[in-house]
Amino acid sequence: MADRAQEAAGREWARHWQYAELPGLDLLRAHYVRHTFPRHAHDGYVIAAVTGGVEEVGLPGGIVRAGPGSVVLINPEVPHTARAGVPEGWAYATLYPSRELIAEVAAEIGGLRGTPGFTADHVTDPQTSYVITEVHRAAEEGNALAADTLLRGAVARMLTRHAGPLPARTVRGAGAVGAAAARAVLLERMARPPSLEQLAAELGTSPFALLRAFRERYGMPPHTWLTDARVRRARALLDEGTTPAEAAVAVGFTDQPHLNRHFTRIVGVPPGAYRRERSGGGAAAGR
């Protein structure tokens, strides 16, 4: 009820958390108006039920406009953006199942070969959209049996109706090797990365050629990819109990405000609120 009141008043709010009885799953329920998500990607999958307003999702194939009753489906490592598509913003309930959870459900229902991937980026499915909101409700009420049952039902329905082999992003020739090598260097030297010119020189290529190959392979330029990777690493550190200030330094941000800005833009909640939820002491985070 409080969430509905905040939405009616045009206020932003968000809760990003985990329910211990649903391993391999992150949950986000939010209402955003001014907030925009920059280009980023996820380790796992995204299954998002839009419950109000309109969300505009920028995907490699174009812009998707999703309203109430829609379910947005995004595969691992697919770069995307998100923003409000109408002045009042959008509200949604999102499931972030891990690759392992998706594989487990796919194996249970059968019929899918290899690693499953969604073949649609959004579908109109009010029934599944409602079930996703009920997963959140059951988890928030501590009803593990209902939450797990509803979760598996929603995932199975999406996989049965809208999935096939996970498509692979490929880059031809030496560009693929160079892009992968650049990614490995950036991961290894995340806190003190080289410049694009230095990175290209180390790999024996030109800055422009490396930039082009990297964008083609990962859907974003190296500096954007690095910011996303830093936020992912910071999330892992916060999950382990690291403080936001320590995490900021560890991943290469200049200070905690620097982490706060990028973390909030990409994850949807500030790192402090994210960490409080992981420690079991959080409530819906005001925005």
mmCIF file of all heavy atoms in Angstrom, residues 226-259:
data_model
loop_
_atom_site.group_PDB
_atom_site.id
_atom_site.type_symbol
_atom_site.label_atom_id
_atom_site.label_comp_id
_atom_site.label_asym_id
_atom_site.label_seq_id
_atom_site.Cartn_x
_atom_site.Cartn_y
_atom_site.Cartn_z
ATOM 1 N N LEU A 226 33.840 -1.439 -18.758
ATOM 2 C CA LEU A 226 34.618 -1.474 -17.520
ATOM 3 C C LEU A 226 33.802 -0.934 -16.346
ATOM 4 O O LEU A 226 33.847 -1.500 -15.241
ATOM 5 C CB LEU A 226 35.905 -0.671 -17.680
ATOM 6 C CG LEU A 226 36.798 -0.584 -16.442
ATOM 7 C CD1 LEU A 226 37.254 -1.975 -16.005
ATOM 8 C CD2 LEU A 226 38.006 0.315 -16.705
ATOM 9 N N THR A 227 33.051 0.138 -16.567
ATOM 10 C CA THR A 227 32.211 0.664 -15.487
ATOM 11 C C THR A 227 31.196 -0.381 -15.040
ATOM 12 O O THR A 227 30.979 -0.594 -13.843
ATOM 13 C CB THR A 227 31.477 1.940 -15.947
ATOM 14 O OG1 THR A 227 32.440 2.951 -16.260
ATOM 15 C CG2 THR A 227 30.544 2.459 -14.861
ATOM 16 N N ASP A 228 30.581 -1.055 -16.005
ATOM 17 C CA ASP A 228 29.620 -2.110 -15.687
ATOM 18 C C ASP A 228 30.307 -3.244 -14.923
ATOM 19 O O ASP A 228 29.782 -3.756 -13.931
ATOM 20 C CB ASP A 228 28.996 -2.630 -16.981
ATOM 21 C CG ASP A 228 27.854 -3.610 -16.743
ATOM 22 O OD1 ASP A 228 27.177 -3.501 -15.712
ATOM 23 O OD2 ASP A 228 27.646 -4.491 -17.594
ATOM 24 N N ALA A 229 31.500 -3.643 -15.376
ATOM 25 C CA ALA A 229 32.242 -4.717 -14.705
ATOM 26 C C ALA A 229 32.624 -4.312 -13.283
ATOM 27 O O ALA A 229 32.589 -5.137 -12.361
ATOM 28 C CB ALA A 229 33.493 -5.061 -15.506
ATOM 29 N N ARG A 230 32.990 -3.064 -13.088
ATOM 30 C CA ARG A 230 33.329 -2.589 -11.741
ATOM 31 C C ARG A 230 32.115 -2.670 -10.813
ATOM 32 O O ARG A 230 32.237 -3.057 -9.648
ATOM 33 C CB ARG A 230 33.851 -1.149 -11.809
ATOM 34 C CG ARG A 230 35.285 -1.027 -12.282
ATOM 35 C CD ARG A 230 35.669 0.419 -12.496
ATOM 36 N NE ARG A 230 37.117 0.577 -12.591
ATOM 37 C CZ ARG A 230 37.722 1.682 -12.985
ATOM 38 N NH1 ARG A 230 36.989 2.746 -13.332
ATOM 39 N NH2 ARG A 230 39.036 1.746 -13.034
ATOM 40 N N VAL A 231 30.960 -2.291 -11.334
ATOM 41 C CA VAL A 231 29.746 -2.360 -10.513
ATOM 42 C C VAL A 231 29.412 -3.808 -10.177
ATOM 43 O O VAL A 231 29.034 -4.127 -9.044
ATOM 44 C CB VAL A 231 28.577 -1.658 -11.228
ATOM 45 C CG1 VAL A 231 27.251 -1.950 -10.519
ATOM 46 C CG2 VAL A 231 28.814 -0.158 -11.279
ATOM 47 N N ARG A 232 29.573 -4.714 -11.136
ATOM 48 C CA ARG A 232 29.332 -6.129 -10.850
ATOM 49 C C ARG A 232 30.274 -6.633 -9.759
ATOM 50 O O ARG A 232 29.863 -7.345 -8.847
ATOM 51 C CB ARG A 232 29.530 -6.968 -12.119
ATOM 52 C CG ARG A 232 28.498 -6.761 -13.194
ATOM 53 C CD ARG A 232 28.541 -7.934 -14.152
ATOM 54 N NE ARG A 232 28.181 -7.574 -15.502
ATOM 55 C CZ ARG A 232 28.061 -8.443 -16.487
ATOM 56 N NH1 ARG A 232 28.288 -9.727 -16.269
ATOM 57 N NH2 ARG A 232 27.729 -8.059 -17.705
ATOM 58 N N ARG A 233 31.555 -6.272 -9.874
ATOM 59 C CA ARG A 233 32.515 -6.698 -8.859
ATOM 60 C C ARG A 233 32.167 -6.088 -7.502
ATOM 61 O O ARG A 233 32.266 -6.762 -6.469
ATOM 62 C CB ARG A 233 33.925 -6.285 -9.290
ATOM 63 C CG ARG A 233 35.046 -6.649 -8.323
ATOM 64 C CD ARG A 233 35.428 -8.112 -8.355
ATOM 65 N NE ARG A 233 35.859 -8.544 -9.680
ATOM 66 C CZ ARG A 233 37.090 -8.355 -10.172
ATOM 67 N NH1 ARG A 233 38.012 -7.722 -9.456
ATOM 68 N NH2 ARG A 233 37.404 -8.809 -11.373
ATOM 69 N N ALA A 234 31.758 -4.830 -7.499
ATOM 70 C CA ALA A 234 31.365 -4.181 -6.249
ATOM 71 C C ALA A 234 30.171 -4.894 -5.624
ATOM 72 O O ALA A 234 30.113 -5.076 -4.403
ATOM 73 C CB ALA A 234 31.037 -2.708 -6.503
ATOM 74 N N ARG A 235 29.216 -5.329 -6.458
ATOM 75 C CA ARG A 235 28.069 -6.076 -5.931
ATOM 76 C C ARG A 235 28.527 -7.345 -5.236
ATOM 77 O O ARG A 235 28.048 -7.682 -4.146
ATOM 78 C CB ARG A 235 27.104 -6.429 -7.058
ATOM 79 C CG ARG A 235 26.250 -5.289 -7.541
ATOM 80 C CD ARG A 235 25.252 -5.737 -8.601
ATOM 81 N NE ARG A 235 24.332 -6.739 -8.082
ATOM 82 C CZ ARG A 235 23.361 -7.280 -8.786
ATOM 83 N NH1 ARG A 235 23.196 -6.939 -10.053
ATOM 84 N NH2 ARG A 235 22.561 -8.186 -8.244
ATOM 85 N N ALA A 236 29.447 -8.060 -5.866
ATOM 86 C CA ALA A 236 29.953 -9.293 -5.255
ATOM 87 C C ALA A 236 30.624 -9.007 -3.922
ATOM 88 O O ALA A 236 30.460 -9.759 -2.948
ATOM 89 C CB ALA A 236 30.925 -9.985 -6.206
ATOM 90 N N LEU A 237 31.373 -7.921 -3.851
ATOM 91 C CA LEU A 237 32.036 -7.561 -2.601
ATOM 92 C C LEU A 237 31.028 -7.169 -1.525
ATOM 93 O O LEU A 237 31.163 -7.550 -0.357
ATOM 94 C CB LEU A 237 33.024 -6.408 -2.847
ATOM 95 C CG LEU A 237 34.248 -6.748 -3.696
ATOM 96 C CD1 LEU A 237 35.038 -5.482 -4.030
ATOM 97 C CD2 LEU A 237 35.148 -7.755 -2.969
ATOM 98 N N LEU A 238 29.999 -6.421 -1.913
ATOM 99 C CA LEU A 238 28.958 -6.051 -0.955
ATOM 100 C C LEU A 238 28.206 -7.280 -0.458
ATOM 101 O O LEU A 238 27.834 -7.362 0.711
ATOM 102 C CB LEU A 238 27.987 -5.051 -1.595
ATOM 103 C CG LEU A 238 28.566 -3.683 -1.954
ATOM 104 C CD1 LEU A 238 27.561 -2.874 -2.750
ATOM 105 C CD2 LEU A 238 28.996 -2.921 -0.708
ATOM 106 N N ASP A 239 27.993 -8.250 -1.357
ATOM 107 C CA ASP A 239 27.352 -9.507 -0.954
ATOM 108 C C ASP A 239 28.161 -10.215 0.133
ATOM 109 O O ASP A 239 27.598 -10.911 0.982
ATOM 110 C CB ASP A 239 27.213 -10.450 -2.154
ATOM 111 C CG ASP A 239 26.153 -9.995 -3.142
ATOM 112 O OD1 ASP A 239 25.337 -9.129 -2.779
ATOM 113 O OD2 ASP A 239 26.154 -10.505 -4.283
ATOM 114 N N GLU A 240 29.492 -10.044 0.076
ATOM 115 C CA GLU A 240 30.375 -10.697 1.048
ATOM 116 C C GLU A 240 30.516 -9.894 2.342
ATOM 117 O O GLU A 240 31.192 -10.337 3.267
ATOM 118 C CB GLU A 240 31.760 -10.884 0.426
ATOM 119 C CG GLU A 240 31.768 -11.837 -0.771
ATOM 120 C CD GLU A 240 33.067 -11.800 -1.533
ATOM 121 O OE1 GLU A 240 33.990 -11.036 -1.118
ATOM 122 O OE2 GLU A 240 33.191 -12.509 -2.549
ATOM 123 N N GLY A 241 29.899 -8.706 2.392
ATOM 124 C CA GLY A 241 29.956 -7.902 3.604
ATOM 125 C C GLY A 241 30.918 -6.744 3.565
ATOM 126 O O GLY A 241 31.078 -6.025 4.557
ATOM 127 N N THR A 242 31.576 -6.517 2.437
ATOM 128 C CA THR A 242 32.490 -5.388 2.299
ATOM 129 C C THR A 242 31.705 -4.082 2.373
ATOM 130 O O THR A 242 30.582 -3.995 1.872
ATOM 131 C CB THR A 242 33.234 -5.464 0.950
ATOM 132 O OG1 THR A 242 33.894 -6.728 0.856
ATOM 133 C CG2 THR A 242 34.248 -4.354 0.797
ATOM 134 N N THR A 243 32.280 -3.055 2.976
ATOM 135 C CA THR A 243 31.597 -1.770 3.038
ATOM 136 C C THR A 243 31.662 -1.083 1.675
ATOM 137 O O THR A 243 32.576 -1.345 0.877
ATOM 138 C CB THR A 243 32.241 -0.844 4.078
ATOM 139 O OG1 THR A 243 33.567 -0.494 3.635
ATOM 140 C CG2 THR A 243 32.314 -1.511 5.448
ATOM 141 N N PRO A 244 30.720 -0.190 1.378
ATOM 142 C CA PRO A 244 30.760 0.526 0.097
ATOM 143 C C PRO A 244 32.069 1.285 -0.116
ATOM 144 O O PRO A 244 32.594 1.302 -1.236
ATOM 145 C CB PRO A 244 29.567 1.476 0.188
ATOM 146 C CG PRO A 244 28.593 0.764 1.063
ATOM 147 C CD PRO A 244 29.450 0.083 2.101
ATOM 148 N N ALA A 245 32.608 1.890 0.927
ATOM 149 C CA ALA A 245 33.862 2.636 0.777
ATOM 150 C C ALA A 245 35.004 1.709 0.389
ATOM 151 O O ALA A 245 35.823 2.039 -0.490
ATOM 152 C CB ALA A 245 34.192 3.364 2.074
ATOM 153 N N GLU A 246 35.073 0.542 1.009
ATOM 154 C CA GLU A 246 36.130 -0.420 0.677
ATOM 155 C C GLU A 246 35.930 -0.989 -0.726
ATOM 156 O O GLU A 246 36.900 -1.169 -1.475
ATOM 157 C CB GLU A 246 36.133 -1.546 1.710
ATOM 158 C CG GLU A 246 36.552 -1.116 3.102
ATOM 159 C CD GLU A 246 36.303 -2.198 4.156
ATOM 160 O OE1 GLU A 246 35.396 -3.030 3.946
ATOM 161 O OE2 GLU A 246 37.013 -2.192 5.176
ATOM 162 N N ALA A 247 34.681 -1.249 -1.073
ATOM 163 C CA ALA A 247 34.402 -1.785 -2.399
ATOM 164 C C ALA A 247 34.772 -0.786 -3.483
ATOM 165 O O ALA A 247 35.296 -1.166 -4.537
ATOM 166 C CB ALA A 247 32.919 -2.159 -2.505
ATOM 167 N N ALA A 248 34.504 0.496 -3.237
ATOM 168 C CA ALA A 248 34.826 1.529 -4.224
ATOM 169 C C ALA A 248 36.307 1.506 -4.572
ATOM 170 O O ALA A 248 36.689 1.527 -5.751
ATOM 171 C CB ALA A 248 34.415 2.902 -3.694
ATOM 172 N N VAL A 249 37.151 1.462 -3.560
ATOM 173 C CA VAL A 249 38.599 1.460 -3.781
ATOM 174 C C VAL A 249 39.027 0.169 -4.465
ATOM 175 O O VAL A 249 39.857 0.176 -5.386
ATOM 176 C CB VAL A 249 39.347 1.641 -2.446
ATOM 177 C CG1 VAL A 249 40.851 1.483 -2.645
ATOM 178 C CG2 VAL A 249 39.035 3.018 -1.847
ATOM 179 N N ALA A 250 38.467 -0.939 -4.047
ATOM 180 C CA ALA A 250 38.887 -2.246 -4.569
ATOM 181 C C ALA A 250 38.636 -2.383 -6.063
ATOM 182 O O ALA A 250 39.407 -3.043 -6.762
ATOM 183 C CB ALA A 250 38.167 -3.359 -3.807
ATOM 184 N N VAL A 251 37.555 -1.775 -6.564
ATOM 185 C CA VAL A 251 37.224 -1.951 -7.981
ATOM 186 C C VAL A 251 37.719 -0.815 -8.859
ATOM 187 O O VAL A 251 37.548 -0.858 -10.079
ATOM 188 C CB VAL A 251 35.706 -2.131 -8.175
ATOM 189 C CG1 VAL A 251 35.201 -3.318 -7.359
ATOM 190 C CG2 VAL A 251 34.940 -0.865 -7.827
ATOM 191 N N GLY A 252 38.318 0.213 -8.240
ATOM 192 C CA GLY A 252 38.935 1.263 -9.044
ATOM 193 C C GLY A 252 38.178 2.567 -9.155
ATOM 194 O O GLY A 252 38.585 3.451 -9.918
ATOM 195 N N PHE A 253 37.079 2.730 -8.407
ATOM 196 C CA PHE A 253 36.421 4.028 -8.384
ATOM 197 C C PHE A 253 37.225 4.975 -7.494
ATOM 198 O O PHE A 253 37.898 4.540 -6.553
ATOM 199 C CB PHE A 253 34.983 3.904 -7.871
ATOM 200 C CG PHE A 253 34.039 3.261 -8.859
ATOM 201 C CD1 PHE A 253 33.383 2.083 -8.544
ATOM 202 C CD2 PHE A 253 33.822 3.831 -10.105
ATOM 203 C CE1 PHE A 253 32.518 1.479 -9.448
ATOM 204 C CE2 PHE A 253 32.969 3.233 -11.016
ATOM 205 C CZ PHE A 253 32.309 2.060 -10.692
ATOM 206 N N THR A 254 37.153 6.267 -7.758
ATOM 207 C CA THR A 254 37.988 7.207 -7.025
ATOM 208 C C THR A 254 37.604 7.306 -5.553
ATOM 209 O O THR A 254 38.468 7.491 -4.699
ATOM 210 C CB THR A 254 37.908 8.607 -7.665
ATOM 211 O OG1 THR A 254 36.530 8.999 -7.783
ATOM 212 C CG2 THR A 254 38.537 8.602 -9.050
ATOM 213 N N ASP A 255 36.313 7.178 -5.253
ATOM 214 C CA ASP A 255 35.846 7.252 -3.868
ATOM 215 C C ASP A 255 34.431 6.683 -3.804
ATOM 216 O O ASP A 255 33.865 6.261 -4.814
ATOM 217 C CB ASP A 255 35.887 8.697 -3.341
ATOM 218 C CG ASP A 255 35.181 9.686 -4.257
ATOM 219 O OD1 ASP A 255 34.270 9.257 -5.018
ATOM 220 O OD2 ASP A 255 35.524 10.877 -4.233
ATOM 221 N N GLN A 256 33.840 6.706 -2.600
ATOM 222 C CA GLN A 256 32.510 6.129 -2.446
ATOM 223 C C GLN A 256 31.443 6.889 -3.231
ATOM 224 O O GLN A 256 30.567 6.245 -3.838
ATOM 225 C CB GLN A 256 32.119 6.058 -0.970
ATOM 226 C CG GLN A 256 30.777 5.336 -0.756
ATOM 227 C CD GLN A 256 30.434 5.141 0.706
ATOM 228 O OE1 GLN A 256 31.315 5.134 1.552
ATOM 229 N NE2 GLN A 256 29.148 4.989 0.992
ATOM 230 N N PRO A 257 31.463 8.232 -3.272
ATOM 231 C CA PRO A 257 30.460 8.918 -4.098
ATOM 232 C C PRO A 257 30.526 8.507 -5.572
ATOM 233 O O PRO A 257 29.492 8.430 -6.241
ATOM 234 C CB PRO A 257 30.800 10.400 -3.904
ATOM 235 C CG PRO A 257 31.411 10.454 -2.540
ATOM 236 C CD PRO A 257 32.211 9.187 -2.440
ATOM 237 N N HIS A 258 31.740 8.244 -6.061
ATOM 238 C CA HIS A 258 31.906 7.785 -7.441
ATOM 239 C C HIS A 258 31.217 6.431 -7.629
ATOM 240 O O HIS A 258 30.491 6.204 -8.610
ATOM 241 C CB HIS A 258 33.402 7.694 -7.762
ATOM 242 C CG HIS A 258 33.706 7.536 -9.214
ATOM 243 N ND1 HIS A 258 34.933 7.115 -9.674
ATOM 244 C CD2 HIS A 258 32.942 7.716 -10.324
ATOM 245 C CE1 HIS A 258 34.912 7.054 -10.994
ATOM 246 N NE2 HIS A 258 33.725 7.422 -11.408
ATOM 247 N N LEU A 259 31.423 5.516 -6.686
ATOM 248 C CA LEU A 259 30.737 4.227 -6.715
ATOM 249 C C LEU A 259 29.232 4.427 -6.607
ATOM 250 O O LEU A 259 28.459 3.815 -7.359
ATOM 251 C CB LEU A 259 31.221 3.334 -5.569
ATOM 252 C CG LEU A 259 30.383 2.074 -5.302
ATOM 253 C CD1 LEU A 259 30.469 1.099 -6.472
ATOM 254 C CD2 LEU A 259 30.820 1.386 -4.009
#
